Amino acid sequence: MENFNPVARTIRFNVPFKDQKPGTSGLRKSTKQFLEPHYLESFVESIFRTIHGVNGGTLVLGGDGRYGNRRAIDIILRMAAAHGFKKVITTIDGILSTPAASHLIRTTKAVGGIILSASHNSGGLDGDFGVKVNGSNGGPASESLTNSIFDCTKDLEDYVILECPAISLDAPGKYLIGAMEVEVIDGVKDYLDLMQGIFDFDRISNLITQDFPIVFDALHAVTGPYAVRLFEQILGAPSGTVRNGLPLEDFGGGHPDPNLTYANELANLLLNGSSYSFGAACDGDGDRNMILGKACFVNPSDSLAVLAANAHLVPAYSRGLSGVARSMPTSSAVDVVAKKLDIPCFETPTGWKFFGNLLDAGQITLCGEESFGTGSDHVREKDGLWAVLFWLQILAERNCSVAEIMNAHWINYGRHYYSRHDYEEIPLEVAHGLYERMEGLLSNLEGNLFAGKIVKKADNFSYTDPVDKSITSAQGLRVLLEDGSRVMLRLSGTGTKGATLRLYLEKYLVDKENLSRNPQEVLSDLIREIDALAEIGQRTGMDKPTVIT
């Protein structure tokens, strides 16, 4: 074990940083801002002063490989040693997906983890960087913890760090930084072992090595090494099945967001080509997924519902589900499945951390969000590759196409026509002005007509956690109609440039003649009505959304 004998230093800076308030997925800023003197160190110092179990504890550390990943790992290792951690576990090249990090935290009984990622945001020197804290259960830090970290940053004037050379992340190994052990491990193996315990790899292998060609786009992000080993080396798919499998600091100049806009090359292969029967992609840190079949795009809300309806086909869930949960903006498709299965269905605010209490309490098995995130109680994060394997297991058991699965599901449960419209990089004052004005209109909507239907309820969503009874308010504007249709608006907390207004639209139809229509056409009356009421086009100057899902 290589031993470094570092020198401890206390570094002072002139003025505390006032802008380090974490969002729903940690602190995200531009890469250049994180490169400013003391900026990263300030946030990390506040983490270590706030979380419990630091002295003598174990920390898991890794990231999605974006620009700044290795620099940040080196700094955090030396700060962790200065704060008295007993051990830090990191990975070859610092590559660690978010769901794999969650699993590693849980199996090593770490006090928590730091995940270096800005998820689906762009990378590189001109892109974004992020620092996310996970708790000892493997899930995202609670809001009370992130608030405490933010409070610490506002008054922080110094940090402690050890001065020593950077350790090598090129291969597995063990090092000592002062009294702290650093173990560099293969970040892929433990995660794939977990997947093999959930799914029937033999059945999936038989599917994808026969007449059912698949393609996976890693978008030059963290899932590349996992997917190559999983699909090509373990399951036997042909070499080249995984596209863009090498993690790059700038994601190859692309946007690691698995949707029809940013993963358009993959979408074109499936929606307009005939070479593949199944396609999938994951985002920057590996927790989101997009599912495609031949000439078939699976809406993320529908995906959650299909997984719940077919969970009995997966070995790990063959005994049934304890319950399901979805975020408020996610369509109600899984609610209908839960009712038929006679299991609870919970509606939570946006943010994976809100599923954590329900998972830990055993009240749910599956959960998901409309933002291409699905997961289960195997970890405490959404999990992109897990969702891909879940779909492949269903396809292997049912021996049909993705489109056939979707059509059968809609015949059995009805179809929730759903779409999300993202208006990105709106000036902050414009976005907040639009949102606050719309919130002020809600009280006068109930009982009136909206798109020809009576408004049943209009509010700003509030959630009472059924486990700890905590209340989370102001989670999104809702217009609920008597026919079950919904329109929702939120301002996103995951961007770094201006604000993103997210508009969610849903309409539920059950007659079989209306199951194959274009969602934008079905939702067109809701789209027109909310644009006029909220003055979206007028106030933003945008004649169409940046991204339509």
Side-chain angles (χ1 to χ4, degrees):
M1 184 182 301
E2 191 170 352
N3 193 341
F4 294 97
N5 294 306
V7 177
R9 295 180 59 197
T10 298
I11 309 296
R12 296 189 60 83
F13 45 92
N14 294 328
V15 180
F17 296 99
K18 302 295 186 182
D19 64 342
Q20 295 191 329
K21 181 175 177 58
T24 56
S25 298
L27 180 66
R28 292 184 188 172
K29 300 288 181 182
S30 70
T31 302
K32 291 178 179 177
Q33 188 159 359
F34 266 106
L35 292 175
E36 292 178 5
H38 314 306
Y39 195 84
L40 170 66
E41 292 88 341
S42 166
F43 192 65
V44 173
E45 179 73 19
S46 298
I47 293 171
F48 291 161
R49 291 192 186 187
T50 304
I51 63 174
H52 298 295
V54 167
N55 192 35
T58 297
L59 179 74
V60 169
L61 174 63
D64 61 14
R66 67 180 59 231
Y67 188 97
N69 194 57
R70 286 215 181 196
R71 168 185 175 268
I73 288 174
D74 173 52
I75 289 171
I76 295 169
L77 285 175
R78 293 186 287 118
M79 292 183 69
H83 277 270
F85 276 96
K86 180 180 180 181
K87 183 177 183 178
V88 174
I89 301 170
T90 188
T91 56
I92 298 171
D93 297 323
I95 295 294
L96 184 64
S97 76
T98 290
S102 179
H103 176 57
L104 197 55
I105 292 167
R106 292 164 64 81
T107 56
T108 61
K109 301 189 185 307
V111 300
I114 294 180
I115 302 171
L116 304 168
S117 174
S119 188
H120 54 288
N121 293 17
S122 60
L125 181 59
D126 295 319
D128 295 332
F129 193 79
V131 179
K132 180 183 173 186
V133 184
N134 278 40
S136 59
N137 73 338
S142 66
E143 192 165 4
S144 61
L145 177 57
T146 57
N147 286 339
S148 295
I149 293 170
F150 177 49
D151 288 340
C152 185
T153 67
K154 291 186 287 186
D155 298 317
L156 191 71
E157 295 181 347
D158 59 49
Y159 59 90
V160 291
I161 189 168
L162 300 186
E163 296 293 344
C164 66
I167 68 169
S168 173
L169 300 180
D170 295 336
K174 292 184 178 181
Y175 305 85
L176 282 176
I177 299 180
M180 185 185 79
E181 179 185 348
V182 179
E183 184 176 8
V184 181
I185 67 168
D186 175 354
V188 176
K189 182 182 183 303
D190 286 349
Y191 173 79
L192 295 187
D193 288 346
L194 174 65
M195 294 299 103
Q196 199 153 10
I198 296 174
F199 302 101
D200 186 336
F201 274 21
D202 290 337
R203 295 281 289 175
I204 295 173
S205 178
N206 288 338
L207 171 73
I208 67 176
T209 55
Q210 302 300 320
D211 189 25
F212 197 85
I214 71 169
V215 59
F216 179 85
D217 195 339
L219 299 175
H220 285 303
V222 77
T223 55
Y226 295 83
V228 170
R229 197 179 304 182
L230 171 63
F231 295 122
E232 298 181 7
Q233 297 175 13
I234 296 176
L235 295 176
S239 177
T241 294
V242 178
R243 299 164 60 90
N244 303 315
L246 178 65
L248 298 175
E249 289 187 334
D250 66 347
F251 307 116
H255 204 94
D257 198 353
N259 59 42
L260 296 176
T261 299
Y262 296 119
N264 60 322
E265 290 183 5
L266 176 71
N268 187 56
L269 288 175
L270 272 298
L271 301 182
N272 301 314
S274 58
S275 299
Y276 299 101
S277 299
F278 177 86
C282 288
D283 69 332
D285 63 331
D287 61 356
R288 301 179 190 230
N289 70 92
M290 177 172 70
I291 303 297
L292 296 158
K294 190 176 293 184
C296 179
F297 164 72
V298 180
N299 186 286
S301 294
D302 281 339
S303 182
L304 175 62
V306 168
L307 300 190
N310 292 275
H312 61 284
L313 301 176
V314 176
Y317 311 117
S318 59
R319 294 183 179 180
L321 307 176
S322 61
V324 294
R326 63 167 175 84
S327 65
M328 180 274 286
T330 302
S331 93
S332 306
V334 75
D335 302 43
V336 179
V337 175
K339 184 176 182 180
K340 187 169 184 178
L341 295 176
D342 194 25
I343 58 175
C345 180
F346 299 89
E347 181 182 35
T348 74
T350 295
W352 206 259
K353 59 190 174 186
F354 292 103
F355 296 134
N357 277 355
L358 296 169
L359 289 165
D360 287 343
Q363 295 195 27
I364 61 171
T365 307
L366 300 185
C367 45
E369 297 183 324
E370 49 70 35
S371 53
F372 295 89
T374 37
S376 85
D377 56 2
H378 69 290
V379 291
R380 294 299 182 266
E381 290 278 6
K382 47 188 177 281
D383 191 345
L385 283 174
W386 167 88
V388 176
L389 285 168
F390 205 133
W391 266 95
L392 289 173
Q393 185 82 72
I394 294 170
L395 292 163
E397 301 301 330
R398 293 184 54 174
N399 192 29
C400 62
S401 70
V402 174
E404 288 170 335
I405 286 177
M406 293 311 307
N407 287 330
H409 184 87
W410 293 331
I411 289 171
N412 287 331
Y413 297 99
R415 182 171 181 182
H416 291 256
Y417 283 94
Y418 181 89
S419 187
R420 186 179 98 181
H421 292 193
D422 289 2
Y423 297 82
E424 297 180 349
E425 298 186 10
I426 303 172
L428 289 173
E429 64 277 9
V430 173
H432 286 285
L434 183 158
Y435 194 82
E436 290 166 7
R437 175 185 172 275
M438 181 63 201
E439 183 174 11
L441 297 175
L442 294 177
S443 61
N444 294 322
L445 292 181
E446 293 187 18
N448 291 317
L449 287 176
F450 182 97
K453 304 295 182 181
I454 298 293
V455 176
K456 180 181 179 180
K457 188 174 185 178
D459 65 3
N460 195 336
F461 179 61
S462 180
Y463 173 68
T464 300
D465 190 300
V467 178
D468 64 16
K469 308 305 178 184
S470 62
I471 298 174
T472 306
S473 56
Q475 292 299 300
L477 311 183
R478 304 188 301 174
V479 179
L480 312 179
L481 308 185
E482 286 190 341
D483 69 344
S485 298
R486 300 191 303 158
V487 176
M488 296 144 285
L489 292 91
R490 291 182 61 250
L491 291 180
S492 171
T494 59
T496 63
K497 299 175 182 176
T500 296
L501 175 69
R502 301 201 195 283
L503 172 64
Y504 312 86
L505 309 121
E506 177 181 6
K507 185 177 289 189
Y508 181 46
L509 300 178
V510 294
D511 53 297
K512 296 180 180 179
E513 292 75 22
N514 276 314
L515 300 181
S516 301
R517 295 170 59 187
N518 184 314
Q520 303 307 313
E521 293 178 1
V522 173
L523 300 167
S524 61
D525 56 342
L526 299 179
I527 295 170
R528 287 192 301 269
E529 190 80 9
I530 192 61
D531 180 73
L533 181 64
E535 299 178 351
I536 296 174
Q538 176 183 332
R539 288 174 174 264
T540 65
M542 303 171 72
D543 58 1
K544 61 181 180 180
T546 311
V547 178
I548 295 178
T549 304

